[in-house]
Amino acid sequence: MPLSNWTPSGWLEKPAAQQPVYPDPVALEAVLARVREYPPLVVVGEIDNLKRRIAEAGRGESFILQAGSCAERFAECRATIIANQLEI
């Protein structure tokens, strides 16, 4: 997709592959409703800081180290585990 056609909601037009099958749609909707009430995972200040740091790397003033397993389980989404991963 060319950048000129990019929109924040463009992902909604893409097919969803490898989606889990949830046997109880009522329970699923209850969980989704609860998650929708949670605060954002990232605050605006963190986004602005990341943009500034990426720009620094683009100018050769720093570098980016990306790490992660990309397969974290929900059971691993706890503050102590995340903090330990960030100590790298």
Side-chain angles (χ1 to χ4, degrees):
M1 172 184 286
L3 288 179
S4 61
N5 294 334
W6 182 88
T7 64
S9 61
W11 64 273
L12 294 168
E13 300 168 8
K14 305 292 183 192
Q18 299 179 349
Q19 294 297 301
V21 176
Y22 296 101
D24 187 342
V26 173
L28 173 62
E29 187 51 44
V31 170
L32 292 176
R34 182 175 175 190
V35 169
R36 286 185 197 106
E37 297 295 319
Y38 290 160
L41 294 176
V42 181
V43 295
V44 174
E46 290 176 339
I47 295 168
D48 291 340
N49 184 42
L50 177 60
K51 287 180 178 180
R52 189 179 71 254
R53 302 294 301 267
I54 290 173
E56 290 171 0
R59 293 189 303 267
E61 299 168 1
S62 64
F63 66 93
I64 297 172
L65 173 63
Q66 181 177 340
S69 70
C70 298
E72 290 85 2
R73 300 175 308 142
F74 288 119
E76 296 165 346
C77 294
R78 295 195 315 269
T80 53
I81 293 174
I82 293 168
N84 288 338
Q85 290 176 341
L86 294 174
E87 287 182 5
I88 296 173

